[in-house]
Amino acid sequence: MRVVIQRVSEASVTIEGRKTADIQKGLLILVGIEDADTNEDINWLCAKIAKLRIFGDDNGVMNLSVTEADGDIIVVSQFTLHAATKKGNRPSYIKAAKPDVAIPLYETFVKTLQQETGKIIQTGEFGADMKVALVNDGPVTILIDSKNKE
């Protein structure tokens, strides 16, 4: 499972002209799921994200988690995070999980992150054509892959 975490001063998701998610300060999290992902990946990632200290404290030092900073969260599914680009110019998405595997894992990810943070998690819509808008604060963008726990 791969996530791209972006600290934002504002973010939103619009589907067919309708805003489905809208936050101010917080995290926009893009989630890519592959067939090999399990609940273990979800639990590890959600615990890591909930405690990730990337918000400024009173001294401007990145020392606060999203919860401590009273930020909000949007989670958006994004299969393209598993794009293979080694060969040719057209990305292959063979590693990305199909909807029958990905949707239950995505829903579990959202619920688990909600439990870990105590926050209501806003989302996009799995498989929809979404327009994601954000103002990256910092910029702070972090990539975490549950298969590469550094």
Side-chain angles (χ1 to χ4, degrees):
M1 188 170 284
R2 291 182 181 156
V3 295
V4 173
I5 301 163
Q6 297 177 84
R7 185 180 76 183
V8 298
S9 56
E10 61 184 79
S12 65
V13 177
T14 302
I15 302 169
E16 295 179 3
R18 181 179 50 89
K19 217 173 250 191
T20 62
D22 190 16
I23 65 170
Q24 295 302 305
K25 176 178 71 175
L27 299 176
L28 173 65
I29 302 172
L30 306 174
V31 181
I33 299 168
E34 65 180 333
D35 286 329
D37 290 331
T38 66
N39 283 337
E40 183 181 323
D41 295 289
I42 291 169
N43 293 335
W44 182 80
L45 273 172
C46 288
K48 178 67 79 177
I49 292 167
K51 294 175 183 78
L52 199 60
R53 299 184 321 170
I54 59 173
F55 288 88
D57 62 15
D58 291 338
N59 296 318
V61 177
M62 287 197 290
N63 206 23
L64 302 175
S65 69
V66 66
T67 305
E68 294 166 328
D70 197 29
D72 292 313
I73 301 172
I74 297 177
V75 173
V76 175
S77 63
Q78 188 168 355
F79 74 93
T80 61
L81 291 178
H82 285 289
T85 59
K86 184 176 180 180
K87 185 177 173 184
N89 295 318
R90 183 177 179 167
S92 168
Y93 303 106
I94 194 103
K95 289 183 89 177
K98 302 291 183 267
D100 61 321
V101 171
I103 291 171
L105 289 171
Y106 172 74
E107 290 172 349
T108 300
F109 178 88
V110 171
K111 288 177 189 171
T112 304
L113 188 58
Q114 188 164 300
Q115 291 168 347
E116 286 284 340
T117 61
K119 301 243 171 227
I120 294 172
I121 308 297
Q122 296 185 50
T123 65
E125 182 181 315
F126 192 95
D129 180 20
M130 296 175 270
K131 307 302 179 212
V132 179
L134 70 133
V135 176
N136 193 316
D137 181 21
V140 175
T141 302
I142 297 173
L143 172 65
I144 303 176
D145 189 324
S146 64
K147 303 297 190 246
N148 187 19
K149 298 176 177 134
E150 296 180 332

